[in-house]
Amino acid sequence: MTAILLLLHLLGATIWTGGHLVLAVTILPRVLKDRDVASLHWFEQGYERLGMPALLVQIITGLWLAWQKLPSLALWFDPGAGPIAELVRLKLMLLLLTILVAAHARFRVIPRLSPATLPLMGWHIVAMTLISVAFVATGLSFRVSWGI
Ligand code: HEM
């Protein structure tokens, strides 16, 4: 079961983080340069159909994996419970940030998207991308120590 959960979690991570990296690194600079609101809408609408289910899979499999490692909510939030609990709390913090930034973009920024508000949208995309990379780095830290 753990292998299937990890497979789904990793597939979701490739879609969520990979999609944001493609958006931030290849599409966003062009959109900002050409003030091309239509292209951004086009990408967002297509990506949302895959990205939102991927995020949902991440949340379900992530909570499940965390429960396998520490089967007690009290331990997740106990500051003395050790490094695994710290990583679970970090993942939950990143999830909260993701929901806040995504909701602000979806309900406040995207409905009023225009050439003038494109830079604001750009900052949301950069923030989401950095958070999605932090998700991957935190996830890896359950298995490997960075030793830097
Ligand atoms: C978009 C969101 C997320 C991304 C991109 C992501 C990404 C990753 C990655 C790449 C790994 C490494 C897997 C491995 O070492 O084989 C991982 C592990 C893990 N993630 Fe996530 N994750 C996300 C959300 C979450 C959430 C919401 C939780 C819930 C607390 C969570 C809990 C875990 C746990 C417990 C592991 C360790 C699994 C293990 O080593 O057995 N993740 N994650």
Side-chain angles (χ1 to χ4, degrees):
M1 190 61 188
T2 305
I4 293 170
L5 285 176
L6 264 176
L7 174 66
L8 291 175
H9 202 69
L10 283 175
L11 275 177
T14 59
I15 295 168
W16 186 253
T17 306
H20 279 92
L21 282 169
V22 169
L23 175 59
V25 174
T26 72
I27 294 172
L28 182 62
R30 244 184 299 147
V31 162
L32 286 175
K33 188 170 139 275
D34 302 338
R35 306 253 147 202
D36 184 2
V37 177
S39 289
L40 191 59
H41 267 309
W42 176 82
F43 181 88
E44 287 280 348
Q45 276 164 10
Y47 177 69
E48 213 170 69
R49 252 176 274 148
L50 194 61
M52 282 302 143
L55 181 60
L56 197 65
V57 166
Q58 289 313 94
I59 297 171
I60 294 167
T61 55
L63 292 174
W64 199 327
L65 286 163
W67 190 260
Q68 285 190 341
K69 290 186 183 293
L70 279 183
S72 146
L73 276 189
L75 279 180
W76 287 15
F77 296 103
D78 175 356
I84 297 288
E86 265 168 36
L87 291 173
V88 170
R89 284 198 295 277
L90 191 50
K91 283 261 183 174
L92 293 175
M93 278 259 306
L94 292 171
L95 180 59
L96 188 68
L97 275 178
T98 298
I99 292 169
L100 290 177
V101 177
H104 193 254
R106 179 71 184 75
F107 298 113
R108 288 297 185 101
V109 186
I110 292 176
R112 287 171 221 158
L113 204 55
S114 70
T117 60
L118 267 182
L120 178 63
M121 186 60 199
W123 285 115
H124 281 74
I125 291 169
V126 169
M128 284 299 268
T129 306
L130 292 177
I131 296 168
S132 75
V133 172
F135 257 126
V136 172
T138 311
L140 262 182
S141 309
F142 282 94
R143 276 171 204 273
V144 295
S145 82
W146 293 88
I148 306 170

